[in-house]
Amino acid sequence: MDNIQVKDKSFSLFISAEEIDQAVSEVAAHIAQDLRGKNPLFIVVLNGAYMFAADLIRKFDFDCEISFVRLSSYAGMETTSKVREVIGLYENLTDREVVVIEDIIDTGISMAFFLDKIRETNVKSVRLGTLLFKPDAFRKNYHIDYVGIKIPNEFIVGYGLDYDGLGRNYPDIYKIVE
Ligand code: IMP
Ligand code: MG
């Protein structure tokens, strides 16, 4: 499919499932290099990162654990600078090597908040992995350890990413047609 309609917006094919899989493999290889044998704990940020996390984590052939949280600060197409709260962080992070898994880092504000929360614990290390990164939108300065694909500052859907809850189901990524 080259074009899709989600609610009132049209989107055109931007990143194919094959290109996504290539990027996921590269991220997986880097994570494996750093954390094989260390039983990393992946903390997946719902809802957007569910598809990326499922594809990424099944590429590992060593012990690792997975947990899920929600931050939910995004309504429609505008990032609201207010992150409400972290829901679902019940794991004991003491001495754990944590990798936070995001679908996309846009302004970076919601992740800044979450990284601060994790660093308040006795975690051994915190790394950050994201499938997509919008460098031109980024308003923070923390390090992102693993980036799949850098993209321009445009609104996208598919592969877990949504527009008002819709569009997450597509295996490819689409960008908005202005
Ligand atoms: P940030 O706090 O601005 O970095 O926003 C991060 C969150 O906003 C991501 O985890 C996504 O859920 C959502 N988001 C950012 N950009 C897009 C986009 O282009 N399409 C869909 N969701 C997005
Ligand atoms: Mg997200």
Side-chain angles (χ1 to χ4, degrees), residues 52-64:
F52 173 44
D55 286 343
L56 177 75
I57 291 164
R58 84 180 75 187
K59 293 188 191 286
F60 299 135
D61 58 357
F62 51 85
D63 280 351
C64 57

Side-chain angles (χ1 to χ4, degrees), residues 45-49 71-72 74 101-105 110 161 168:
V45 182
L46 295 174
N47 294 334
L71 307 180
S72 198
Y74 211 70
I101 299 296
E102 253 291 25
D103 50 356
I104 185 164
I105 305 223
S110 39
L161 291 129
R168 297 191 197 277

Side-chain angles (χ1 to χ4, degrees), residues 1-6 9-20 51 77 104 131-132 134 149 151-163 166-178:
M1 258 181 301
D2 285 344
N3 293 287
I4 59 168
Q5 180 79 21
V6 181
K9 307 264 187 254
S10 301
F11 294 82
S12 62
L13 185 63
F14 181 42
I15 307 171
S16 71
E18 290 72 26
E19 291 171 273
I20 295 168
M51 208 178 271
M77 288 173 48
I104 185 164
L131 176 66
L132 300 154
K134 295 181 184 170
I149 304 171
I151 62 167
N153 195 4
E154 279 170 300
F155 191 76
I156 57 169
V157 294
Y159 196 73
L161 291 129
D162 72 301
Y163 168 46
L166 299 174
R168 297 191 197 277
N169 47 298
Y170 294 99
D172 307 285
I173 291 172
Y174 295 81
K175 84 171 173 197
I176 195 153
V177 179
E178 298 296 347

Side-chain angles (χ1 to χ4, degrees), residues 60-175:
F60 299 135
D61 58 357
F62 51 85
D63 280 351
C64 57
E65 293 174 46
I66 305 159
S67 185
F68 300 88
V69 296
R70 274 194 85 142
L71 307 180
S72 198
S73 67
Y74 211 70
M77 288 173 48
E78 296 300 321
T79 296
T80 58
S81 51
K82 222 172 119 199
V83 176
R84 275 172 263 148
E85 57 174 332
V86 178
I87 305 160
L89 189 60
Y90 306 123
E91 255 73 21
N92 181 358
L93 302 185
T94 302
D95 293 332
R96 296 303 307 263
E97 309 251 20
V98 166
V99 186
V100 178
I101 299 296
E102 253 291 25
D103 50 356
I104 185 164
I105 305 223
D106 184 26
T107 64
I109 292 169
S110 39
M111 187 47 55
F113 167 81
F114 186 49
L115 290 174
D116 286 345
K117 282 262 165 208
I118 294 184
R119 291 201 176 104
E120 286 168 11
T121 69
N122 293 321
V123 72
K124 183 167 184 185
S125 69
V126 185
R127 292 175 174 82
L128 174 58
T130 185
L131 176 66
L132 300 154
F133 177 44
K134 295 181 184 170
D136 297 336
F138 195 50
R139 288 198 250 148
K140 296 285 171 176
N141 52 15
Y142 53 80
H143 178 64
I144 308 174
D145 300 85
Y146 313 105
V147 175
I149 304 171
K150 289 184 187 156
I151 62 167
N153 195 4
E154 279 170 300
F155 191 76
I156 57 169
V157 294
Y159 196 73
L161 291 129
D162 72 301
Y163 168 46
D164 267 0
L166 299 174
R168 297 191 197 277
N169 47 298
Y170 294 99
D172 307 285
I173 291 172
Y174 295 81
K175 84 171 173 197

